[in-house]
Amino acid sequence: MVSTIPHHIEGKDVPADDGRYLDNVNPWTQEVTATLARGSVADVNAAVEAARRAFDEGPWPRWSEAERSAALHRLADLVNANADVLAAAEAGDMGRPVQSARSIDIPRAADMFRFFGDHAALATGETYPSGADHDAYVAYRPAGVVAAITPWNHPLMLGAWKIAAPLAWGNTVVMKPAESSPTSAYLLAGLAIEAGIPRGVLNVVQGLGSEAGQALTDSAGVDRITFTGSTATGRRVAQAAAGNLVPVTLELGGKGSSIIAPDADIELAADLVSRAVFNNTGQVCLAGTRVLVHEDIRDEFTSRLVARAGAWSIGDPFADGTTLGPLASAEQHRRVRSYYDRVEAEGGAVLCGGPGEGNVFAPTVVSGIDPKGTVAQEEVFGPVATIIGYEGDDQAVTLANDTAYGLTSVLITDSVARIRRMVPRLRSGTVWVNCYQVRDLRAPMGGRGASGIGREGGTFSREFFTEPQAVFIA
Ligand code: NAD
């Protein structure tokens, strides 16, 4: 495994311009396992200039969609072939169990390169019949240099999600991974070169958000910004984008609801909620942590969820059989702990779970919490399910929509009428009915309100990462 993680600019490993490095800490052992380049304005400028050269002078934007798709398929093959080392990078950086990364995150990342490569290669555009004198059509031109800023909770999977579409549409990319999960993006940049993607097409700058991230979003050399991260940072990114009048998509925080109707299959509901709230130690923007349960089934559902919470196997992310790792950092542990400590003051009772040794946080079920309090309203980003009872569908919808966020909702019911009545009223970018975290890369992904601006996926990504051009030929 790498012990110093440099930038990757124009196909080469590049040290930090001013020689400054940050520590990369393993959240399970809490030991420093590597150092990473602490990107400066000079580093960011070098990466943006490399991406600009590759866009203006290099072959990538001029290749056919089919040629780019073939290169992205080769990259996908290499991602899968290197799944062990990539999974180990996620486990060491942020505590994702190596088995989960190996079986879920890494193959999903590979699939994204294949999907967006194919999507661009197979896309068609509109033509406009304009009488006998003109032919008219729309062409989708690559936008230019794309800044892609990613969080640490699923580093490679969310990184692939941010860069596969812009690459497929002929853009060049400067990627800034989170400072606590630098390794997989660095490895990916090397694999892109091995896949025959030209130098300068995918550049990676490491470093702090307030330094490298801010410099990247402030850069006048960037044509698009695609950002995934917290709502607070999203606001800063939007301000920087406004300064240069650069289109931006923001995939931000979430505080999703899981509504369990009185006719729900309670076994299914407990299963789905356990996955929706505890998977990845709760560090998932899509998590349905506000668990709204009809009073008729509340007790039974609660006892089944508590049983499920205890069934996760918490441990060393590298160990066989571990299904939940620690929280990703000591800072993250402090944050989750601060919400946990407020539970009683906000009217709730802890039924199971809580902080453990080091960065461990066991799956936690809280009942009776004030729906207006901070624990029920703010994104905890840890394995904490808050159970809130309700009595009728209208009340459930009101409670579900009573948050600043609007990313995802889960509805569990056997009634088609209830689905048709409730789903349109749920203020969220995605609604899962009797399922959780089903993804389709053609579908729009994004949120409302504090969960962000814009959508990516399928044609939604094409609209964002290209400049549609109307062409009229006499
Ligand atoms: P964060 O906002 O702290 O950091 C995200 C990225 O932004 C990191 O790379 C960071 O270095 C960078 N950054 C920080 N300050 C910056 C600045 N001023 N300018 C530019 N870049 C800056 O978020 P995080 O803690 O890494 O990630 C967790 C958050 O991400 C949660 O809120 C979670 O809900 C959200 N998230 C959203 C989605 C989604 O699809 N909506 C997916 C995953 C995570």
Side-chain angles (χ1 to χ4, degrees):
M1 185 60 56
V2 271
S3 57
T4 296
I5 304 163
H7 306 304
H8 180 97
I9 299 173
E10 212 154 26
K12 294 188 291 280
D13 287 354
V14 176
D17 179 71
D18 56 12
R20 291 191 304 165
Y21 285 79
L22 299 162
D23 286 342
N24 190 25
V25 179
N26 175 319
W28 176 254
T29 62
Q30 302 185 63
E31 284 165 3
V32 175
T33 52
T35 59
L36 60 137
R38 179 170 172 171
S40 62
V41 173
D43 295 320
V44 168
N45 288 345
V48 171
E49 282 159 21
R52 174 59 55 194
R53 270 195 301 281
F55 187 76
D56 289 344
E57 299 159 25
W60 185 251
R62 282 156 278 279
W63 281 5
S64 70
E65 281 78 5
E67 286 171 300
R68 286 198 297 265
S69 177
L72 292 172
H73 274 261
R74 289 194 297 274
L75 178 56
D77 291 343
L78 285 167
V79 166
N80 279 331
N82 288 275
D84 287 340
V85 69
L86 290 165
E90 309 294 57
D93 279 5
M94 56 70 63
R96 176 85 167 141
V98 79
Q99 282 175 347
S100 312
R102 179 77 183 73
S103 60
I104 301 169
D105 300 34
I106 310 302
R108 281 196 184 183
D111 285 348
M112 289 177 198
F113 292 114
R114 291 188 210 286
F115 169 83
F116 284 105
D118 289 343
H119 186 262
L122 296 172
T124 55
E126 280 181 76
T127 61
Y128 310 106
S130 309
D133 295 341
H134 298 89
D135 290 328
Y137 61 90
V138 62
Y140 293 93
R141 312 296 184 201
V145 175
V146 173
I149 299 179
T150 54
W152 45 261
N153 56 328
H154 289 283
L156 187 74
M157 194 169 79
L158 293 175
W161 169 248
K162 296 268 96 173
I163 67 171
L167 291 176
W169 286 102
N171 300 282
T172 60
V173 170
V174 178
M175 188 178 180
K176 211 300 278 172
E179 47 273 37
S180 56
S181 57
T183 314
S184 56
Y186 166 71
L187 295 171
L188 183 68
L191 295 178
I193 294 294
E194 212 179 316
I197 294 175
R199 291 173 189 279
V201 171
L202 174 58
N203 307 277
V204 177
V205 179
Q206 306 287 354
L208 297 173
S210 55
E211 297 174 358
Q214 189 70 46
L216 183 57
T217 53
D218 282 340
S219 170
V222 159
D223 300 293
R224 291 288 186 277
I225 300 171
T226 176
F227 172 80
T228 303
S230 65
T231 302
T233 308
R235 288 201 170 89
R236 302 180 81 102
V237 171
Q239 280 164 355
N244 292 318
L245 223 53
V246 171
V248 58
T249 53
L250 304 171
E251 296 186 339
L252 309 178
K255 189 73 182 174
S257 289
S258 301
I259 303 174
I260 323 293
D263 57 18
D265 174 336
I266 299 182
E267 197 63 17
L268 173 75
D271 249 357
L272 290 178
V273 170
S274 178
R275 280 201 286 130
V277 182
F278 304 136
N279 178 41
N280 208 33
T281 321
Q283 301 162 117
V284 179
C285 56
L286 313 171
T289 53
R290 309 172 90 239
V291 187
L292 310 177
V293 191
H294 194 275
E295 290 292 359
D296 287 356
I297 54 166
R298 179 173 167 170
D299 289 346
E300 191 183 343
F301 170 83
T302 303
S303 63
R304 291 199 201 189
L305 182 63
V306 168
R308 292 254 177 341
W312 291 86
S313 171
I314 309 168
D316 180 348
F318 284 95
D320 283 348
T322 296
T323 55
L324 284 189
L327 289 167
S329 62
E331 182 193 341
Q332 187 58 18
H333 197 269
R334 271 192 297 279
R335 176 195 160 99
V336 177
R337 175 84 206 229
S338 75
Y339 285 107
Y340 178 85
D341 289 343
R342 271 181 255 169
V343 165
E344 279 184 21
E346 296 187 4
V350 175
L351 305 182
C352 65
E357 278 192 21
N359 292 325
V360 165
F361 211 101
T364 304
V365 179
V366 166
S367 189
I369 199 99
D370 173 8
K372 297 271 188 204
T374 55
V375 180
Q377 286 289 331
E378 294 178 12
E379 187 182 42
V380 174
F381 224 52
V384 181
T386 51
I387 293 182
I388 299 167
Y390 73 87
E391 279 171 350
D393 291 352
D394 286 345
Q395 192 192 1
V397 170
T398 303
L399 282 166
N401 290 340
D402 183 23
T403 125
Y405 296 100
L407 194 57
T408 58
S409 310
V410 173
L411 171 61
I412 304 175
T413 174
D414 274 352
S415 158
V416 174
R418 189 166 259 136
I419 294 168
R420 291 185 55 86
R421 239 183 2 254
M422 291 175 78
V423 169
R425 297 172 60 198
L426 292 171
R427 196 179 140 280
S428 64
T430 296
V431 182
W432 286 297
V433 180
N434 295 329
C435 59
Y436 171 66
Q437 243 202 24
V438 177
R439 288 292 304 275
D440 184 323
L441 299 176
R442 294 168 297 185
M445 169 70 203
R448 300 168 61 161
S451 290
I453 295 176
R455 298 289 188 275
E456 291 181 32
T459 49
F460 301 89
S461 293
R462 177 181 70 182
E463 304 304 310
F464 182 68
F465 291 113
T466 61
E467 289 286 355
Q469 183 180 51
V471 183
F472 300 87
I473 303 176

